[in-house]
Amino acid sequence: QTGKLQRPPAIDSFQQLLQAFPMGGKGWRGKRKNKGKGKGGGDREEGSDDEERPQKQAKTELPRNDIWREEGSWEMKNESYEAYYRKQGVCPAEDWPKLVQALRTGLPVAIRVNRMRLGATSLCNRLQEMREACLGNEAREQFAPIQLSWYPHDSAWHWPSLERRTVKKNKRNVQLKEYLMHRERSGLISRQEVVSMIPPLFLGVEPDHMVLDLCAAPGSKTSQMLEIMHWPQDGKATRAPKGMVLANELQWKRANMLAHQVSRLGSPCAVVVNMDAQFFPELWDKKASGEASPLRFDRILADVPCSGDGTMRKTPYIWKSWTLRDGLSLHIRQLGILNRGLDLLKVGGRIVYSTCSLNPAEDESVVAAALQRHGGAVVLVPPPDLKGLNAAHGLDKWIIQDTDEGPSYESYESVPKELKEGKCRILPSMFPPTGEGSEEILASVKQHCRRFLPHIMDTGGFFCSHSGEAL
């Protein structure tokens, strides 16, 4: 379907914004009354009160299967995983033990301070005081936060000696846990993984930009882009931004959570929709003269669904569940999302493609295939120079492997016929491109893509590329 989307007028509240841009999907605001569930339920009659509604009997809760969260309860070893990535050469051979050891340790706690809220400066000062008070005291040093030097306005911090799971489980950390929890509920901070903060910074969002977040849930990057829109420009306070962040999510339950997340910011620039990013519809911008034209976006973020094998530090069960086919099965969907994003990008605009996977089949191969499809109309551009942000460069050669026992393939021509057919077939786009212009594409991928490996900055694994439409 073809919809019409206009830049939002001055809106006093997020609820008015939701009325101006209705959200679709089960459980969203719609014509049906009292049929939605949870906070994203159907419209409520004016003057109604929750206490007057009959309460359903609570269901018996089943015990949570979260034994993997207990320290030492999971064997952090997967021979297939280690053999596969050693073959790929994701890092120099001498650094491989460091990478694996980093993956076997917990992920440090990290937060981002919301500069839109009153008290942001005071909180940063308190964090600095906490650091000074803890340094030099062996028993308290683990509670000393460290500022992320590459994040603008000194508003991102992390605790290298404190793991996410430790803060949740260890009774020694109760006060810190409550301190962070209260400020997160008020919208003053967002608890966000360090590498997750990078894509919005690569985009370079400005207050007048039309921004599309194709795969937005749970909303940490969307919230970050909204905050960036409200940052003072050139040291001066600005009026409300004229731009907008259109956040999309396929699953309606996650879209509901996304809407709740961005509503805490109180920004009039947020819109949440519920669609498949691969088939995101054409939107039309109707001018005052009555003439309509296709809406194109200044900035697009494609943080696509992935196998997540770079997140083992916070989800250690992946050590047991990971298989070679995880990344191969997602490749075509990831490529479809990136291509659709490029179709919606304004000439001269920027798009960032990112995953939390280390697999070239989900990373470099997707970027290279998109560049080959669009020819010279799309080019990779250097990421911004953020002092203190360290990463490895992209790969310019990689292999594709279907099973643990099976051989690895360096080109599509070497793949047996039976693997080129069926539901989980191997595709030409999974391999390094060949033919005219392929050398330039691979050189650009190696130079401009970034791999954030766990042992480099004590983070999770992440991949990021920064592309733009040629003028």
Side-chain angles (χ1 to χ4, degrees), residues 244-260:
M244 179 184 70
V245 176
L246 179 59
N248 175 62
E249 173 55 36
L250 172 61
Q251 300 179 16
W252 71 267
K253 288 184 178 180
R254 286 168 59 85
N256 191 4
M257 177 176 60
L258 170 64
H260 173 72

Side-chain angles (χ1 to χ4, degrees), residues 153-171:
H153 305 293
D154 303 328
S155 52
W157 300 72
H158 72 144
W159 282 261
S161 301
L162 286 179
E163 301 177 16
R164 290 160 51 99
R165 285 171 288 164
T166 303
V167 171
K168 291 181 179 180
K169 300 289 185 179
N170 196 325
K171 294 182 179 180

Side-chain angles (χ1 to χ4, degrees), residues 36-157:
K37 298 180 180 180
K39 296 183 179 179
D43 284 341
R44 181 184 305 174
E45 295 184 6
E46 187 176 356
S48 65
D49 192 281
D50 284 340
E51 295 180 359
E52 298 175 1
R53 297 184 181 183
Q55 299 294 323
K56 292 184 179 181
Q57 185 176 359
K59 294 181 179 180
T60 303
E61 293 188 4
L62 296 176
R64 292 178 58 186
N65 184 20
D66 61 353
I67 188 173
W68 63 271
R69 295 179 182 274
E70 300 296 334
E71 186 177 357
S73 65
W74 208 269
E75 184 181 8
M76 298 183 183
K77 184 178 181 181
N78 187 315
E79 294 181 359
S80 299
Y81 177 91
E82 296 181 36
Y84 177 70
Y85 281 115
R86 286 179 73 97
K87 288 181 184 178
Q88 296 288 10
V90 295
C91 69
E94 59 271 18
D95 288 344
W96 177 253
K98 299 177 184 177
L99 191 154
V100 175
Q101 182 58 35
L103 286 172
R104 290 172 178 158
T105 59
L107 188 67
V109 177
I111 64 170
R112 191 186 73 252
V113 180
N114 179 7
R115 300 182 73 249
M116 292 170 58
R117 291 289 190 190
L118 293 174
T121 303
S122 175
L123 177 59
C124 289
N125 292 337
R126 290 295 302 275
L127 291 171
Q128 184 60 40
E129 292 172 3
M130 182 188 300
R131 172 172 174 75
E132 294 171 357
C134 293
L135 289 177
N137 186 324
E138 186 176 350
R140 300 169 62 182
E141 275 194 352
Q142 63 174 329
F143 298 103
I146 297 179
Q147 197 176 86
L148 297 177
S149 61
W150 47 267
Y151 197 88
H153 305 293
D154 303 328
S155 52
W157 300 72

Side-chain angles (χ1 to χ4, degrees), residues 3-5 14 17-18 20-26 28 211-217 222 244-260 262 269-277 279-281 283 295 297 344:
K4 298 180 180 179
L5 182 65
F14 189 76
L17 184 66
L18 297 183
F21 296 91
M23 305 181 200
K26 183 178 178 182
W28 291 103
V211 182
L212 173 61
D213 191 349
L214 283 168
C215 310
T222 304
M244 179 184 70
V245 176
L246 179 59
N248 175 62
E249 173 55 36
L250 172 61
Q251 300 179 16
W252 71 267
K253 288 184 178 180
R254 286 168 59 85
N256 191 4
M257 177 176 60
L258 170 64
H260 173 72
V262 299
C269 307
V271 178
V272 177
V273 293
N274 177 210
M275 302 175 187
D276 189 339
F279 311 106
F280 196 87
L283 304 177
L295 179 65
F297 294 89
L344 296 170

Side-chain angles (χ1 to χ4, degrees), residues 163-431:
E163 301 177 16
R164 290 160 51 99
R165 285 171 288 164
T166 303
V167 171
K168 291 181 179 180
K169 300 289 185 179
N170 196 325
K171 294 182 179 180
R172 291 185 58 197
N173 304 322
V174 170
Q175 290 184 336
L176 178 61
K177 176 183 176 181
E178 293 181 352
Y179 182 84
L180 296 177
M181 188 182 302
H182 290 316
R183 280 145 189 84
E184 184 178 22
R185 287 175 179 171
S186 66
L188 185 56
I189 68 168
S190 294
R191 282 193 273 184
Q192 183 178 359
E193 187 179 350
V194 169
V195 288
S196 177
M197 304 178 192
I198 296 171
L201 296 182
F202 275 21
L203 269 181
V205 175
E206 297 181 6
D208 60 341
H209 281 164
M210 298 293 287
V211 182
L212 173 61
D213 191 349
L214 283 168
C215 310
S220 58
K221 297 181 185 68
T222 304
S223 299
Q224 185 179 352
M225 290 188 290
L226 285 168
E227 293 171 21
I228 292 174
M229 273 192 168
H230 288 266
W231 281 355
Q233 302 295 316
D234 301 324
K236 299 179 181 178
T238 58
R239 299 178 181 177
K242 297 180 180 179
M244 179 184 70
V245 176
L246 179 59
N248 175 62
E249 173 55 36
L250 172 61
Q251 300 179 16
W252 71 267
K253 288 184 178 180
R254 286 168 59 85
N256 191 4
M257 177 176 60
L258 170 64
H260 173 72
Q261 176 86 343
V262 299
S263 67
R264 293 187 307 144
L265 299 177
S267 172
C269 307
V271 178
V272 177
V273 293
N274 177 210
M275 302 175 187
D276 189 339
Q278 293 182 95
F279 311 106
F280 196 87
E282 192 76 61
L283 304 177
W284 292 79
D285 187 10
K286 189 173 182 180
K287 309 295 183 183
S289 60
E291 182 183 356
S293 60
L295 179 65
R296 294 293 179 259
F297 294 89
D298 302 283
R299 298 289 187 268
I300 297 179
L301 176 59
D303 185 52
V304 299
C306 65
S307 63
D309 62 16
T311 66
M312 289 178 166
R313 300 186 70 179
K314 64 178 180 180
T315 51
Y317 63 84
I318 295 179
W319 281 104
K320 183 177 182 180
S321 65
W322 184 89
T323 66
L324 284 164
R325 292 193 175 184
D326 291 347
L328 299 181
S329 63
L330 289 165
H331 170 88
I332 190 64
R333 177 172 179 78
Q334 294 164 337
L335 181 57
I337 293 173
L338 178 56
N339 281 331
R340 185 55 185 150
L342 288 167
D343 292 339
L344 296 170
L345 188 63
K346 184 182 293 185
V347 174
R350 295 286 183 266
I351 182 170
V352 165
Y353 173 84
S354 62
T355 74
C356 50
S357 169
L358 301 178
N359 197 337
E362 303 178 70
D363 299 338
E364 286 89 351
S365 68
V366 174
V367 175
L371 291 174
Q372 192 170 41
R373 174 182 183 264
H374 290 269
V378 177
V379 295
L380 287 178
V381 295
D385 184 18
L386 301 174
K387 187 176 181 181
L389 184 65
N390 301 315
H393 286 264
L395 304 177
D396 58 355
K397 59 180 180 180
W398 56 89
I399 60 172
I400 297 298
Q401 189 173 347
D402 183 55
T403 60
D404 295 341
E405 299 79 13
S408 56
Y409 307 102
E410 296 183 356
S411 66
Y412 185 68
E413 290 72 25
S414 62
V415 178
K417 183 179 178 180
E418 59 270 19
L419 295 181
K420 296 180 180 180
E421 301 172 351
K423 186 176 180 181
C424 297
R425 61 186 180 274
I426 294 178
L427 302 171
S429 58
M430 295 177 179
F431 294 90

